[in-house]
Amino acid sequence: QVQLVESGGGLVQAGGSLRLSCAASGRTFSSYAMGWFRQAPGKEREFVAAISWSGGMLYYADSVKGRFTISRDNAKNTVYLQMNSLKPEESAVYYCAAARAGKYGSRRQDDFGSWGQGTQVTVSS
């Protein structure tokens, strides 16, 4: 298992940028594919982005392609989500998660076994 703690959320104006971080502890962080999800009030949790263990394979929801970038630094046991041109409807709690073994390109919540507590992102109009 791996323990995850998100940070970097906050209040930003529409069109602005934020960079989220997810710090991991526990065993073999570099062997996990990682993902980001988000959940707005009254809405279901949705997939945002994912990255393979090596960082060479990236996956994005269609709604964020060209604006968001996922990356990882295995030496620092950290995964990042750079968010540009933010929209008010993207206000949500953002969660990072570690994928189960063999689930390299999944966008399904059930394929991720370890989750952080989330960090709040609020985008004002």
Side-chain angles (χ1 to χ4, degrees), residues 14-115:
S17 299
L18 284 175
R19 190 192 195 200
L20 306 183
S21 298
C22 177
S25 61
R27 60 184 180 88
T28 61
F29 169 77
S30 63
S31 68
Y32 291 92
M34 300 290 295
W36 286 94
F37 296 77
R38 65 189 178 192
Q39 186 169 25
K43 305 292 185 179
E44 294 187 354
R45 187 176 298 179
E46 65 176 348
F47 170 81
V48 176
I51 187 169
S52 64
W53 71 270
S54 68
M57 300 174 64
L58 310 176
Y59 309 89
Y60 296 97
D62 288 342
S63 62
V64 307
K65 287 181 179 177
R67 298 186 298 115
F68 289 14
T69 303
I70 188 171
S71 62
R72 69 190 298 164
D73 186 339
N74 289 341
K76 295 183 171 64
N77 292 334
T78 303
V79 63
Y80 305 95
L81 184 68
Q82 177 67 45
M83 306 185 294
N84 298 328
S85 301
L86 282 161
K87 306 173 182 179
E89 58 265 35
E90 293 177 315
S91 294
V93 177
Y94 283 69
Y95 300 88
C96 67
R100 303 181 189 275
K103 306 299 182 181
Y104 307 123
S106 179
R107 303 175 180 222
R108 299 179 62 253
Q109 296 183 53
D110 287 349
D111 287 333
F112 291 79
S114 299
W115 294 78

